[in-house]
């Protein structure tokens, strides 16, 4: 930036993006002072380096705002966990399945863990069948990201949503605005 640029000449770009041409560094600095702007090196590896006349403080502020906006719109991947037992009651299974459905609709991944105790460990096929049943039940909302794996006393499977988190958020916002539209008193 400005006097820190240590090359004899630069390819100068004006404040509105117009090409000025290859000029000596002294003339480029003089033009920057006259326009009350900074001379900023934008492509130091080019031959000759490219420098632009701009308000550096404004440029830094705008780039910080763009980065902040990008972070705000970024979707955070969340893994929700549901724990089951191999001998689960049908009603309890339906409740747990409802939680998995809710998480997948929100765009989150779900880690389903089956906990084995005592003699149940000798029957891992019960857990495998339960996980397969759950995967089949929520097939329209998610897909099996990692197949069921035995991990000590537990069997683990990960289900990923078909919809991205941002899509799910936009869908919920659209539904909410539709419900609170004119005439919904």
């Amino acid at each position: 930036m400005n006097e820190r640029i240590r090359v004899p000449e630069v390819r100068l770009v004006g404040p509105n993006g117009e090409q000025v041409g290859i000029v000596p560094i002294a003339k480029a600095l003089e033009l920057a002072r006259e326009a009350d702007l900074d001379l900023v090196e934008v492509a130091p590896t080019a031959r000759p380096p490219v420098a632009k006349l701009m308000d550096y403080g404004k440029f830094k502020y705008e780039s910080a705002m763009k980065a902040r906006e990008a972070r705000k719109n970024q979707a955070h991947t969340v893994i929700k966990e549901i724990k089951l037992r191999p001998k689960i009651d049908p009603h309890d299974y339906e409740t747990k399945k409802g939680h998995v459905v809710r998480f997948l609709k929100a765009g989150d991944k779900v880690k389903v863990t089956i906990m084995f105790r005592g003699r149940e460990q000798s029957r891992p096929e019960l857990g495998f069948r339960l996980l397969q049943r759950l995967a089949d039940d929520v097939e329209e909302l998610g897909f099996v990201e990692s197949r069921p794996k035995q991990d000590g006393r537990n069997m683990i499977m990960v289900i990923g949503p078909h919809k991205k988190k941002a899509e799910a958020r936009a869908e919920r916002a659209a539904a909410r605005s539709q419900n609170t539209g004119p005439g919904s008193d």
Side-chain angles (χ1 to χ4, degrees), residues 67-181:
R68 188 171 159 196
E69 193 65 31
R71 272 196 311 275
K72 190 172 101 177
N73 292 334
Q74 195 174 40
H76 302 288
T77 307
V78 180
I79 297 182
K80 303 285 190 172
E81 185 171 13
I82 291 287
K83 292 188 175 186
L84 308 167
R85 297 284 314 281
K87 298 176 183 170
I88 189 169
D89 185 66
H91 181 266
D92 292 339
Y93 171 80
E94 289 300 321
T95 303
K96 296 285 187 174
K97 183 181 89 174
H99 293 315
V100 171
V101 167
R102 188 179 76 224
F103 295 148
L104 290 173
K105 279 184 179 174
D108 296 323
K109 290 183 181 182
V110 182
K111 177 180 172 184
V112 184
T113 305
I114 298 214
M115 303 174 297
F116 295 99
R117 282 197 196 143
R119 291 187 188 146
E120 292 173 348
Q121 291 178 46
S122 64
R123 304 278 311 275
E125 67 277 0
L126 290 175
F128 185 79
R129 268 191 265 144
L130 186 61
L131 288 175
Q132 281 305 128
R133 181 174 147 207
L134 182 64
D136 292 341
D137 287 348
V138 296
E139 194 173 19
E140 68 277 355
L141 296 170
F143 62 97
V144 176
E145 207 167 90
S146 73
R147 309 271 351 133
K149 289 189 293 271
Q150 187 78 31
D151 180 28
R153 291 175 163 226
N154 300 328
M155 187 175 278
I156 297 168
M157 174 177 78
V158 178
I159 302 174
H162 288 307
K163 281 192 282 197
K164 297 275 185 269
K165 185 94 172 179
E167 292 173 21
R169 191 184 300 145
E171 211 171 86
R172 275 199 314 268
R176 200 176 300 126
S177 68
Q178 198 173 26
N179 290 345
T180 59

